[in-house]
Amino acid sequence: MSRYRQRMSFRHPERDAIRVDAVLSALGNPVRLAAVRSLDKDGDRNCGNLLAEIGVSAKSTMTHHWRVLRDAGVIWQHQHGREYQLSVRREDLDARYPGLLDAILAGAARDEAA
Amino acid sequence: MSRYRQRMSFRHPERDAIRVDAVLSALGNPVRLAAVRSLDKDGDRNCGNLLAEIGVSAKSTMTHHWRVLRDAGVIWQHQHGREYQLSVRREDLDARYPGLLDAILAGAARDEAA
C-alpha cells in the first residue's frame, strides 16, 4: 500500500472566466471576507491555521467557504504535503478588476474600525 | 373614504450603518447588479420602468431584490405619487467606500464586453 495519499486537486476558473458578480457574492459574507483579508494581509496559509485564526471551528462550514471562494476565482487552494495551502489570486483579480479588491479590503478595515 | 393611498415609506440604513459585506452580497447577484448599473448610468427611475428595462417580469422577485438593495444601503426607494422611485446612494457609498462602486461597475461593464 502506498504511503502517499492521493493528491486532491481542485478546479479553479481561468482568469478570463472570473465574473464580478461571483466575486462580490463570494466576498459578501463576513467569514469569507475575514478569511481573504487575513490571507491578503499575512500571506498564504494552510486551511487549519487560517481556520484557527479567524475563529471558526466547523471544518465542514469552512470547506464550503473555500469552495465558494475558489469557484469565484478569489483564492487558489492547492495541496502541499498533507495540507491545503490557500492564497489570494491578487494578480488575476487586480488584472481583471483594477482597484476592486483594494476597495473591498479597505472597506472591511473601515467597518471594523467603526 | 380617502382617495389618497396610504404613503408607504421604507426603512433605509443610515450611512454609518452600511456594511461592506452587505453591499457586496447585495451586488453579488446578476439581476441586482444590472439594476444598479442601469440606475447609476441613466439616473433615477421608477420600479416599473427599470423592471421593463432589465427584462424581468416577476414583480414579486423584484420586490425582494429592491429590499435587499435597500437594506444594504445601496439604493433609495421612495414613493413619488403612485410610483416608487429608485436611486443609487452614490454619495453615501463613495463617502464610505471610496472607489468601490466605480470598481464594481467597471468590472460589470468589462464582463459584459468579454
Side-chain angles (χ1 to χ4, degrees), chain A residues 76-89:
Chain A
W76 297 114
Q77 183 175 15
H78 289 300
Q79 194 167 22
H80 280 241
R82 290 166 59 185
E83 290 280 2
Y84 292 101
Q85 201 74 11
L86 303 170
S87 56
V88 178
R89 293 179 65 173

Side-chain angles (χ1 to χ4, degrees), chain B residues 47-94:
Chain B
C47 296
N49 290 349
L50 183 54
L51 223 130
E53 192 185 321
I54 59 178
V56 176
S57 51
K59 192 161 174 272
S60 61
T61 306
M62 291 315 291
T63 301
H64 164 72
H65 286 320
W66 305 146
R67 186 174 60 73
V68 172
L69 289 168
R70 216 168 58 220
D71 287 351
V74 177
I75 62 167
W76 296 115
Q77 183 175 14
H78 290 300
Q79 194 166 20
H80 279 242
R82 290 166 61 184
E83 290 280 2
Y84 293 101
Q85 201 74 11
L86 303 170
S87 56
V88 179
R89 294 180 63 173
R90 256 270 169 207
E91 204 177 322
D92 288 332
L93 292 171
D94 286 350

Side-chain angles (χ1 to χ4, degrees), chain B residues 13-19 72 96-97:
Chain B
E14 301 281 331
R15 181 189 289 184
D16 288 351
I18 296 175
R19 289 295 171 270
R96 196 157 169 85
Y97 306 119

